Amino acid sequence: MRIVLGVTGGIAAYKAAYLLRLFREAGHRVRVVPTEAALAMVGRPTWEALSGEPVRTGVFDDAEHVDHVALGRSADLVVVAPATAHLLARAAAGLADDLLTATLLTATCPVLLAPAMHTEMWRHPATVANVATLRGRGVHVLDPATGRLTGADTGAGRLPEPAEIAAAALALVRDRDLAGRRVVVSAGGTREPLDPVRFLGNRSTGRQGAAIAAAAAARGAAVTLVAANVDAVVLPGGGVTVVPVETTAELRAAVRAAAAAADAVVMAAAVADFRPAAASEHKIKKTAGAGPAPIALVENPDILAELAAAPLAAGQVVVGFAAETGDDAGDVLAHGREKARRKGADLLVVNEVGTAVGFGDVPNAVTVLDRAGDVVARAAGTKAEVADAVWDAVLGVWDRATTISG
Ligand code: C5P
């Protein structure tokens, strides 16, 4: 694929060098088009050496090849990172006073802008209006990250990490092989109240489920994400309908409502198997000398097993997750096989927890089993990569069903 990487004159320009490497390592041809100001931050030799391509900034620099038209026309993807407030303004106004803005005017492929600037500039009504104009024209404008800015200040305006920009950019040009499919994903961990301030919960962050929802949306599916206590920063961006829930009962109701018209349900949430038999209306008090009162638990419905036993829509593929640890009774896979047979879901994604992989913001490694407990796929890598492997496995189930019935 041919990628044009525009770089503008923000301090974060150096991060574009990492982004360039990511694109190159993924096998893409990259033409870097910096603005003059960007060259004051990172020089031309760096861009030429890392891209292996010539680097020009002006519309008249390579007049015999009419570069200012050719680059935009031949690109499969244009990414500008960092995009300064000035670049957003020039793009919104349709100016073509250097090679980058001329390329933006001639590009017919997806365009992603990754803004980076001080919070005041990002929030200024002029910038807000420019971003709205660009988005209205179909340009993808990432929201900047929040955190440390150039000086001692912090706030919204930081360039997102190169890996995030690369994932968002490549998602714009990927196969939309889930187009026309409706899917439901549950993520996070349920909380079962003990009293108004306390609950029984678990450590699930919802990152894997959010990645599964984001991957499905990027591949063209209409996605409902039922999010149990998932932090806002973890939730995927546009294109996903998020239904926030807290308890298992709420999660069950939301999943079943959305599943009634879904082609696939992926239960990535960590759902509490038990809940307190009764939640106290008032905060439970510590009575001196009395010791703790026992907590009586009752079993929650198994949402996954229910869906697997009685699907809510014809041909619906139901996927479960199993976070396992090995023990004396068997290794992770043996426990997974037993669970696959017991739950009856079409697919069970088994991952090992308690080591360096699993919960939290760490890479994941999974084995996907079918309902007989046979391995249909293995995947390791980022949560986004695991998410894609899960959807590939779901596509495999749909394909087999079509082959059998067709
Ligand atoms: O049995 P275990 O809790 O390990 O099974 C995990 C899988 O079952 C996950 O997909 C989880 O979302 C689902 N589950 C459920 N309802 C429960 C417990 C787990 O749907 N009450």
Side-chain angles (χ1 to χ4, degrees):
M1 185 164 67
R2 287 161 184 265
I3 301 177
V4 170
L5 174 59
V7 184
T8 67
I11 294 293
Y14 73 94
K15 286 195 188 171
Y18 295 94
L19 181 58
L20 167 55
R21 288 205 88 132
L22 291 175
F23 286 145
R24 296 274 288 149
E25 279 163 13
H28 305 297
R29 212 174 139 184
V30 186
R31 274 288 299 267
V32 180
V33 183
T35 59
E36 277 299 323
L39 291 182
M41 306 293 176
V42 180
R44 193 186 301 268
T46 302
W47 302 121
E48 290 192 335
L50 289 178
S51 69
E53 302 272 345
V55 170
R56 302 191 177 92
T57 59
V59 276
F60 303 120
D61 285 357
D62 189 29
E64 76 273 26
H65 292 121
V66 206
D67 233 8
H68 69 286
V69 180
L71 267 183
R73 274 198 191 146
S74 62
D76 300 300
L77 175 67
V78 177
V79 180
V80 184
T84 54
H86 189 222
L87 182 279
L88 297 178
R90 289 194 297 146
L95 298 187
D97 52 353
D98 62 5
L99 187 56
L100 178 55
T101 45
T103 301
L104 288 172
L105 276 186
T106 50
T108 52
C109 60
V111 174
L112 179 86
L113 308 181
M117 63 197 73
H118 283 278
T119 310
E120 295 83 347
M121 290 176 134
W122 174 246
R123 298 223 170 108
H124 192 284
T127 306
V128 171
N130 289 333
V131 169
T133 300
L134 290 163
R135 284 182 174 154
R137 286 185 202 143
V139 174
H140 301 268
V141 183
L142 286 182
D143 281 329
T146 298
R148 179 85 193 265
L149 301 175
T150 306
D153 47 347
T154 58
R158 227 177 112 85
L159 187 71
E161 291 310 310
E164 256 175 78
I165 301 172
L170 296 176
L172 298 178
V173 283
R174 50 195 302 184
D175 243 7
R176 294 179 67 81
D177 52 3
L178 297 177
R181 301 285 190 180
R182 279 190 281 192
V183 306
V184 184
V185 180
S186 71
T190 58
R191 290 179 181 175
E192 305 295 344
L194 279 161
D195 69 16
V197 293
R198 304 183 180 98
F199 56 83
L200 296 181
N202 61 71
R203 292 184 198 282
S204 177
T205 59
R207 282 196 169 82
Q208 183 62 74
I212 288 171
R219 290 167 74 159
V223 187
T224 301
L225 175 64
V226 179
N229 310 296
V230 179
D231 201 288
V233 298
V234 172
L235 291 173
V240 173
T241 304
V242 178
V243 183
V245 297
E246 186 176 347
T247 64
T248 300
E250 288 168 12
L251 186 124
R252 177 174 180 272
V255 165
R256 291 183 69 82
D263 299 298
V265 181
V266 179
M267 285 291 296
V271 182
D273 290 323
F274 303 100
R275 67 177 185 278
S280 164
E281 209 181 309
H282 306 288
K283 188 177 169 197
I284 300 165
K285 304 284 188 303
K286 185 165 78 176
T287 314
I295 299 169
L297 298 175
V298 292
E299 197 165 344
N300 273 328
D302 190 319
I303 304 162
L304 178 68
E306 280 178 352
L307 287 172
L312 295 176
Q316 183 172 85
V317 173
V318 178
V319 184
F321 265 70
E324 294 291 343
T325 54
D327 59 21
D328 294 345
D331 64 7
V332 172
L333 213 52
H335 285 296
R337 284 207 174 90
E338 190 276 319
K339 190 165 286 183
R341 291 186 203 111
R342 183 159 46 82
K343 296 258 183 185
D346 297 281
L347 297 171
L348 189 74
V349 184
V350 183
N351 70 340
E352 188 168 359
V353 293
T355 59
V357 292
F359 284 117
D361 192 11
V362 289
N364 220 348
V366 301
T367 304
V368 184
L369 305 178
D370 63 15
R371 67 170 78 227
D374 292 331
V375 175
V376 293
R378 286 182 202 277
T382 63
K383 289 186 175 176
E385 285 163 337
V386 168
D388 273 325
V390 170
W391 289 117
D392 291 344
V394 172
L395 276 165
V397 178
W398 281 328
D399 282 351
R400 279 192 292 282
T402 317
T403 317
I404 291 163
S405 63

